[in-house]
Amino acid sequence: MTNWEAVIGIETHVELQTATKMFCGCPVDFGDAPNTAVCPVCLALPGALPVANEQAIEGILSIAEALDCTLTETSLFYRKNYFYPDLPKNYQISQFTFPVGVDGHLDLEVAGETTRIGITRVHMEEDTGKSLHQGETGRIHGAAHTLLDFNRAGVPLVEVVTEPDIRSPQQARAYGAELQRIVRALGVSDAKLEEGSMRFDANVSLRPQGSDRLGIRAEVKNVNSLRSMQRAIAYEIDRQTEVLEEGGAVVQETRHWNEESGVTTSMRSKEESEDYRYFQEPDLLPLYIDEAWRRRVRARRPELPAQKRARYHDLGADAQVAALLVDSPDLGTLYEDAVVGGADPRPVGIWLTGEVVAYLRREGKAIGDTGLRSGDLVELAAMTAEGDLSSTAAKEVLGAVLAGEGNPQAVAEARDLLQISDVSAIENAVDEVLAANADAVEKILGGDTKPVGFLVGQVMRATGGRADPKVVHELIRTKAAG
Amino acid sequence: MSDLADLTIHEAGAGLRARNFTATDLLDATLRRAAVTEAHLHAYLTIDHDGARAAAATADRSLAAGDDDRPLLGIPVALKDNMVTRGVVTTASSQILAGWNPPYDGTAVARLREGGAVIVGKTNLDEFAMGSSTENSAYGPTRNPWDTNTVPGGSSGGSAAAVAVGSAFGGYGSDTGGSVRQPASLTGTVGVKPTYGLVSRYGLIAFASSLDQIGPLARTVADAATLLEGVAGWDRLDATSYHGDLPDISGSLEAGVEGLRIGVVSELTGEGIDPEVLSATRVVSDRLSDAGAAITEVSLPSTEFALSAYYLIAPAEASANLARFDGVRYGLRVDGETTEEMMAKTRADGFGPEVTRRILLGTYALSAGYYDAFYGQAQRVRTLVRQDFATAYERVDVLVSPTSPTTAFEIGAKVSDPLAMYYSDVCTIPSNLSGDPAMSVPVALDEGGLPIGFQVMAPALGEELMFRVAAEVERAAEFTVRARLATSEVDA
Ligand SMILES: [Zn+2]
């Protein structure tokens, strides 16, 4: 039996959140009533002409640069010709040869292993309008009629195409997630999959393990979340494996992912696939990105997620916490401020990614809506480090601070949570517990340390949890052994 | 003076400023002329009586207030019906746009309105500017005022005929392969294709985007200069429009040709060109020589391939430009069972045979497996044409040739022979491929009494030089005859 290796490449479309559309002055605003953010250009009225949006060019340059692409000095626009009712000109202005960026890469870390995913190209194009099929199925087949909304027509769209370097559904998902983080860090798009401002198509093929030839691929469309991309690719790998195991051949085709049924179905085969008759767009001049412009883009590159994770790691967060903090920039900022303010990074990271995240999720709040400030974290960390609060008490204080009850010191006092770390105060309780548990003391004297934990627990209970466990531990060891 | 409609724009402008007559008087004269000539010519698809009257009244108020320094103020002009006009039906002579009432003005149109020009109406053309005779119109052909059995040339035949006969003082057309210059030549008018990018294409219904230019038609070289200046200049709505200093065209007309080097294109002096046209061209060249220019023959070797390259590039671009006419958003819609069927039926019914032919040709030229041999090869020829011009302009200042290989031909003579029709543009196409300016000036009548045009070409943005030579051609040729229909039927 053959061991099959999956070979996966991903095409991603990212809508840029520019003030205006790619080739006209209409606002990019998805809240508008249908067909209100339109003009002669994006409706393709006779005689209208496109003019490229500089803000969108800046956006694609920053994406291409962040993916370490070579930025093309003279980049060209093309017309991609196909008839579709929501494509007003019946051609899409896109790029073909000489896209804005080529030969980039994105390094993925999955389970401690770094994989470099090649980026073939990053190119600029425009979005289509939206078709709303009216009828029983909601799909174009069987629709009684179709309504068209051109508000989205002409919104700037960046396409990012990878090399076939991805080997598993998990890796594909990790790639999608990291690209999403990068785009968000650049501030060029909200990159929301569920709203379609970021969209993935996956090319999946199989080949015998060890082979360096590419198998016949199927393109999977309509994956609307990272999870469904992972599921769709996993399904597609199983499907193709089955076809090949049975001695069949994979058909080169486009397949539609059905979220509910969890399967892909054939949309069209290559024989029906279109000839787009690309030719250079005569209405636009070549896009000339000179060295000075390329330098400006490089200089503007913000801290990217990978760098930020590394920095948080250097600040004391473990890899998992660092990753969580990068994914929630508000929490990341709190973390940075607290650590810079002198807090011990470890408990702060654990609080933020544990209690705080749970609280926000439970209450449906953003961090800014809570009472928690970075100074509170510094104070809380100091109280814990000095033994004024047990870790359990610290969590309770944190919850109260989040709820707006005041700063940690005030909350701890009000709730009587301050820990007893005065040795003489604890000593009485220890003596009582030792006296009441002679058996345990006997065992310890015999060299068995197991009962120590039990005795510590008894003292903690006796002090209402307010004794410093470290001090208790120390006292028991010396007294029982003494 | 017999009739205000026979004045040049410069004469009319002077009369307006001297209060000899009003803009409304000029418009009345124009409309009276049209009332007589339209039945014979069909130059106009739409005459906008109300809009024109309102514009003339506005112009008269400006004149009365002394706000009279705009050169086209109060001047009645005709626009080719592929120029988008807000509130005035614009069809490009196609059934597919029948009744389309645009919600916006093209940039050239907006500039004319700002300049106070009076837009009389929209003129006939070959459908989507595809043709050389104005016979390919869904609304019937336009006839040549010099002989109504002949064509006025095309595709801007409507504007050319209107200017020639006096149903407009000036006109605008679009020139993709000669569509302003060739009808100018056939109707005894001056026609200009400016440098690509000098006039905004925003609001010009695209035929072939890399070749299209709006240009004026006029009765004199000076009028053509004024009309061109009225619409030229950078436009942020057209990415290909020229952003820089504009040539001082009107200021260059009196400079003469003393010391200029003028090249006669040797490929356009023999086979395929009517002998009468050739001899008229030679006479003008001799007179330019007499006026002090140095005349030499210059070769543009790629000329023989230019026509074939043009008939691949223009249809290829057109196949995409005309894809938007699909019945979805505006214009004709022929219903079908599916969206695809609706689109296909709409396009099958809406486009005429020549447009269909060119869309098919262009689609084919761009198709996988054919692209390199057709479109790719045509682009290489285009590069050669540019190089030939560049080489020629190292030796001479301007180039000259006939504008059209023949004078006006009979209606129907070439309808069934597209290749013969395509050959009408052999002299004009190279300038569209190079993007350089070129213009036609009427210089003589042939034995049948039909006008002959003389073409002056110049390097990119060389409009000053080109008009300077054209003005000398006009003086040297002493061509002062006006179209017969105008003189015999209107003045009688
Ligand atoms: Zn728009």
Side-chain angles (χ1 to χ4, degrees):
Chain A
M1 201 176 107
T2 321
N3 252 332
W4 299 102
E5 178 183 51
V7 177
I8 302 159
I10 294 178
E11 293 171 15
T12 310
H13 286 94
V14 181
E15 272 178 0
L16 299 183
Q17 251 93 46
T18 45
T20 55
K21 292 186 182 181
M22 187 62 226
F23 298 113
C24 65
C26 290
V28 172
D29 185 350
F30 300 109
D32 290 340
N35 296 312
T36 52
V38 292
C39 74
V41 177
C42 56
L43 283 178
L45 294 192
L49 296 173
V51 176
N53 175 345
E54 191 168 328
Q55 194 192 1
I57 302 300
E58 293 281 357
I60 188 176
L61 284 171
S62 69
I63 293 176
E65 200 276 336
L67 295 171
D68 283 311
C69 287
T70 303
L71 302 182
T72 308
E73 185 163 324
T74 304
S75 164
L76 304 176
F77 288 105
Y78 277 75
R79 291 185 183 177
K80 179 181 181 179
N81 296 285
Y82 65 97
F83 279 84
Y84 204 78
D86 63 18
L87 182 66
K89 297 186 290 294
N90 286 314
Y91 59 82
Q92 180 191 34
I93 303 179
S94 182
Q95 296 197 288
F96 188 54
T97 53
F98 303 105
V100 166
V102 293
D103 292 338
H105 56 84
L106 194 163
D107 289 335
L108 277 189
E109 231 186 272
V110 180
E113 200 181 317
T114 303
T115 313
R116 175 159 286 196
I117 308 299
I119 303 293
T120 314
R121 56 190 276 132
V122 177
H123 80 236
M124 188 84 244
E125 57 187 34
E126 56 178 336
D127 213 340
T128 61
K130 278 183 183 164
S131 297
L132 304 154
H133 303 298
Q134 305 288 299
E136 285 168 25
T137 60
R139 300 273 307 274
I140 192 160
H141 298 290
H145 62 275
T146 300
L147 296 176
L148 293 162
D149 177 6
F150 292 104
N151 284 355
R152 198 181 69 177
V155 166
L157 211 53
V158 170
E159 182 169 331
V160 179
V161 182
T162 73
E163 291 289 298
D165 288 346
I166 296 169
R167 292 289 171 269
S168 70
Q170 294 77 11
Q171 234 178 31
R173 179 178 186 160
Y175 166 79
E178 186 69 357
L179 184 60
Q180 185 181 44
R181 285 182 204 106
I182 291 173
V183 166
R184 286 178 176 170
L186 295 169
V188 294
S189 174
D190 60 7
K192 286 184 179 162
L193 277 82
E194 62 280 10
E195 289 175 17
S197 56
M198 188 173 207
R199 293 165 239 161
F200 297 113
D201 301 326
N203 287 301
V204 180
S205 66
L206 297 185
R207 67 182 172 195
Q209 196 86 45
S211 165
D212 56 4
R213 300 224 337 255
L214 290 172
I216 295 165
R217 67 193 160 87
E219 184 179 12
V220 183
K221 287 187 177 291
N222 193 46
V223 289
N224 299 321
S225 70
L226 291 166
R227 184 171 162 273
S228 64
M229 174 158 70
Q230 184 174 345
R231 284 178 69 205
I233 292 172
Y235 173 85
E236 191 55 27
I237 291 171
D238 289 347
R239 185 190 71 83
Q240 292 187 16
T241 305
E242 204 168 300
V243 169
L244 294 169
E245 293 286 326
E246 284 169 2
V250 173
V251 180
Q252 182 162 347
E253 61 183 351
T254 304
R255 299 182 68 86
H256 184 91
W257 168 248
N258 303 277
E259 185 70 37
E260 299 77 30
S261 52
V263 300
T264 63
T265 48
S266 181
M267 281 170 78
R268 57 170 183 263
S269 70
K270 200 203 171 191
E271 290 86 282
E272 302 165 49
S273 81
E274 291 177 81
D275 172 5
Y276 291 119
R277 305 190 307 280
Y278 280 100
F279 74 102
Q280 203 184 324
E281 167 58 281
D283 286 333
L284 293 166
L285 300 178
L287 184 60
Y288 182 63
I289 313 291
D290 62 10
E291 179 51 34
W293 196 351
R294 291 200 293 272
R295 251 200 318 271
R296 278 202 306 281
V297 174
R298 276 196 292 271
R300 247 194 343 252
R301 180 203 269 215
E303 184 178 44
L304 295 179
Q307 296 167 293
K308 203 170 196 173
R309 280 194 297 269
R311 189 162 60 80
Y312 285 179
H313 191 66
D314 291 345
L315 283 175
D318 68 28
Q320 206 182 344
V321 167
L324 288 168
L325 290 174
V326 169
D327 281 349
S328 311
D330 291 348
L331 298 183
T333 306
L334 261 187
Y335 175 82
E336 280 181 52
D337 293 349
V339 172
V340 170
D344 180 357
R346 283 197 60 85
V348 172
I350 291 163
W351 289 332
L352 284 172
T353 55
E355 278 65 37
V356 175
V357 167
Y359 175 87
L360 297 177
R361 201 167 295 154
R362 198 168 57 238
E363 302 291 321
K365 284 184 175 173
I367 191 71
D369 305 331
T370 72
L372 185 68
R373 301 291 173 264
S374 65
D376 299 328
L377 291 169
V378 176
E379 195 177 319
L380 195 60
M383 289 168 76
T384 311
E386 282 158 23
D388 296 341
L389 282 177
S390 69
S391 58
T392 316
K395 287 175 186 173
E396 187 180 334
V397 171
L398 181 58
V401 173
L402 282 164
E405 288 179 23
N407 62 36
Q409 185 69 37
V411 169
E413 281 170 17
R415 297 193 167 205
D416 201 15
L417 289 170
L418 288 172
Q419 200 160 245
I420 311 158
S421 46
D422 175 15
V423 177
S424 62
I426 299 172
E427 222 168 354
N428 293 334
V430 171
D431 289 343
E432 278 169 33
V433 167
L434 290 180
N437 295 281
D439 292 2
V441 174
E442 199 74 12
K443 280 183 187 165
I444 294 169
L445 284 170
D448 182 1
T449 55
K450 261 184 260 163
V452 172
F454 166 74
L455 294 174
V456 171
Q458 293 300 304
V459 176
M460 293 306 289
R461 184 182 296 173
T463 56
R466 291 166 55 211
D468 183 339
K470 268 186 286 181
V471 176
V472 174
H473 201 265
E474 198 53 42
L475 283 171
I476 290 173
R477 282 178 66 101
T478 45
K479 282 177 188 277
Chain B
M1 182 204 320
S2 51
D3 189 323
L4 289 180
D6 290 319
L7 297 179
T8 67
I9 291 172
H10 280 264
E11 290 163 351
L16 286 173
R17 284 166 192 81
R19 310 288 189 269
N20 295 338
F21 42 78
T22 64
T24 302
D25 294 336
L26 288 180
L27 177 62
D28 286 342
T30 302
L31 293 175
R32 270 200 309 276
R33 178 66 57 88
V36 175
T37 57
E38 272 307 285
H40 302 277
L41 301 182
H42 189 229
Y44 284 94
L45 294 178
T46 305
I47 293 184
D48 181 18
H49 288 93
D50 295 345
R53 291 225 171 276
T58 305
D60 281 330
R61 280 195 294 278
S62 295
L63 285 159
D67 169 20
D68 63 359
D69 56 350
R70 289 168 289 168
L72 290 174
L73 183 65
I75 303 297
V77 298
L79 305 183
K80 189 178 184 178
D81 201 33
N82 59 354
M83 295 170 73
V84 173
T85 44
R86 184 188 185 111
V88 182
V89 169
T90 301
T91 67
S93 285
S94 182
Q95 205 58 52
I96 211 160
L97 269 181
W100 183 56
N101 195 341
Y104 79 104
D105 272 334
T107 298
V109 176
R111 287 185 180 167
L112 288 172
R113 293 198 204 278
E114 285 158 24
V118 174
I119 296 169
V120 179
K122 308 296 292 292
T123 57
N124 202 9
L125 62 147
D126 288 296
E127 185 178 358
F128 286 105
M130 296 179 187
S132 307
S133 66
T134 317
E135 291 168 287
N136 303 332
S137 166
Y139 307 103
T142 294
R143 292 166 184 269
N144 191 328
W146 293 84
D147 176 352
T148 52
N149 291 317
T150 67
V151 303
S155 63
S156 312
S159 284
V163 171
V165 84
S167 58
F169 282 75
Y172 291 89
S174 61
D175 191 315
T176 305
S179 278
V180 167
R181 290 163 287 159
Q182 185 259 9
S185 181
L186 269 53
T187 59
T189 52
V190 176
V192 184
K193 185 206 85 82
T195 302
Y196 183 81
L198 193 66
V199 181
S200 169
R201 293 182 296 115
Y202 189 78
L204 171 66
I205 299 178
F207 162 17
S209 312
S210 73
L211 302 161
D212 296 342
Q213 260 301 280
I214 289 172
L217 288 133
R219 291 180 214 146
T220 67
V221 171
D223 282 2
T226 300
L227 290 166
L228 177 53
E229 286 168 335
V231 294
W234 181 68
D235 177 16
R236 62 179 181 82
L237 298 176
D238 177 0
T240 64
S241 85
Y242 166 70
H243 199 173
D245 292 337
L246 293 179
D248 176 14
I249 303 168
S250 288
S252 64
L253 302 179
E254 303 302 326
V257 294
E258 176 88 55
L260 286 185
R261 299 166 304 166
I262 296 176
V264 177
V265 178
S266 52
E267 282 76 8
L268 300 174
T269 56
E271 207 184 328
I273 314 283
D274 186 299
E276 278 194 80
V277 172
L278 280 181
S279 86
T281 311
R282 269 194 299 273
V283 168
V284 174
S285 298
D286 290 347
R287 291 190 185 164
L288 290 173
S289 177
D290 294 345
I295 313 287
T296 50
E297 270 209 8
V298 173
S299 175
L300 295 177
S302 59
T303 302
E304 63 171 307
F305 310 115
L307 195 67
S308 313
Y310 172 86
Y311 277 101
L312 288 167
I313 292 169
E317 291 183 11
S319 72
N321 283 330
L322 272 60
R324 66 188 58 194
F325 302 101
D326 58 6
V328 173
R329 284 145 295 127
Y330 46 76
L332 180 72
R333 176 185 292 180
V334 181
D335 279 327
E337 283 298 305
T338 63
T339 308
E340 291 75 20
E341 196 184 307
M342 180 277 283
M343 287 178 167
K345 280 183 162 178
T346 298
R347 291 168 64 78
D349 284 10
F351 291 137
E354 182 62 25
V355 172
T356 304
R357 177 164 30 242
R358 295 202 198 186
I359 290 173
L360 290 173
L361 188 66
T363 304
Y364 207 72
L366 290 171
S367 296
Y370 299 99
Y371 181 96
D372 256 7
F374 293 138
Y375 190 72
Q377 187 64 15
Q379 291 292 4
R380 286 186 279 278
V381 169
R382 187 168 188 178
T383 304
L384 284 182
V385 170
R386 288 203 185 99
Q387 287 166 354
D388 278 0
F389 273 109
T391 307
Y393 288 128
E394 286 170 11
R395 292 182 48 208
V396 295
D397 299 307
V398 297
L399 291 165
V400 297
S401 76
T403 307
S404 164
T406 65
T407 54
F409 44 91
E410 287 200 359
I411 286 182
K414 297 183 182 176
V415 165
S416 57
D417 186 354
L419 292 182
M421 187 74 90
Y422 295 171
Y423 194 74
S424 303
D425 297 329
V426 67
C427 306
T428 47
I429 275 171
S431 300
N432 296 89
L433 291 175
S434 71
D436 298 338
M439 66 191 286
S440 181
V441 182
V443 291
L445 296 180
D446 71 2
E447 281 182 359
L450 293 171
I452 295 170
F454 182 90
Q455 182 174 229
V456 183
M457 296 166 269
L461 298 167
E463 270 82 358
E464 286 183 18
L465 202 53
M466 179 174 81
F467 271 85
R468 187 176 149 193
V469 174
E472 190 63 39
V473 169
E474 187 178 52
R475 285 189 289 269
E478 295 175 323
F479 182 85
T480 53
V481 205
R482 287 284 160 81
R484 263 178 258 165
L485 189 64
T487 49
S488 64
E489 299 194 23
V490 178
D491 290 347

